[in-house]
Amino acid sequence: GGWSCVWYFGKEREYVGWIPSGHLVPYDTARISLIAEWLGKWKPIAGDDSIEISLDSQDGTLFVKGLATWHGGKDFYGNDVVHDGSFEGAAQPNGQRLTVIQGDEKYKYYCKVELQLVFDSLIASDNGICGGVNVRFDNVYRKQ
């Protein structure tokens, strides 16, 4: 109906709301990202998860390593329930997208994390098989 839901990251907090669609400028998804834009340690606004991207000086590919943790409640004995997960692998960006696969795709269980650069944010989405129960890398990360 002429309105768009937006998620804006300010310097200290994020804002979510509705604005008239006519006030938006389409983002050029065909833009080619520079390798330097990918490099560094990325963290979400909240939480301890991280994605680190470095350059493999041997062949120029990117090496990506991620760590994530899910904190649940207490177990029967009063201990914290914590599940963690990780992934790592080499990949080559395709425009503003980067896909990291850990494991063999011909088998049912392999970790797949898809990353996309949008301005100064890294959007991550995974297939749910990169760690323990409820562990996900799905988030918006900012370079540290």
Side-chain angles (χ1 to χ4, degrees):
W3 290 85
S4 295
C5 181
V6 298
W7 187 359
Y8 171 75
F9 291 98
K11 290 186 179 187
E12 296 185 19
R13 72 180 218 103
E14 59 191 84
Y15 303 88
V16 177
W18 293 90
I19 65 169
S21 298
H23 290 219
L24 297 174
V25 176
Y27 180 66
D28 182 9
T29 57
R31 183 179 77 81
I32 303 298
S33 297
L34 300 173
I35 292 294
E37 293 179 70
W38 292 96
L39 303 179
K41 186 166 187 172
W42 299 82
K43 295 189 66 71
I45 289 177
D48 296 328
D49 299 351
S50 67
I51 295 175
E52 194 163 348
I53 304 176
S54 59
L55 182 63
D56 184 336
S57 60
Q58 299 287 331
D59 61 8
T61 60
L62 297 179
F63 183 76
V64 185
K65 181 177 181 178
L67 300 170
T69 305
W70 176 81
H71 298 273
K74 303 277 186 187
D75 67 12
F76 181 76
Y77 301 103
N79 300 313
D80 291 333
V81 176
V82 179
H83 301 162
D84 58 11
S86 64
F87 73 92
E88 62 180 41
Q92 194 66 253
N94 182 7
Q96 292 177 260
R97 294 184 181 272
L98 181 69
T99 301
V100 180
I101 296 173
Q102 183 175 322
D104 194 332
E105 287 183 274
K106 68 182 173 186
Y107 299 110
K108 186 176 181 178
Y109 298 104
Y110 62 91
C111 171
K112 180 178 183 180
V113 181
E114 297 182 79
L115 305 170
Q116 181 176 357
L117 278 177
V118 179
F119 296 110
D120 62 349
S121 297
L122 183 69
I123 314 298
S125 176
D126 69 58
N127 64 351
I129 310 177
C130 299
V133 177
N134 295 325
V135 176
R136 299 300 300 260
F137 286 92
D138 298 356
N139 214 327
V140 178
Y141 294 77
R142 304 292 294 273
K143 193 181 285 190
Q144 299 299 293

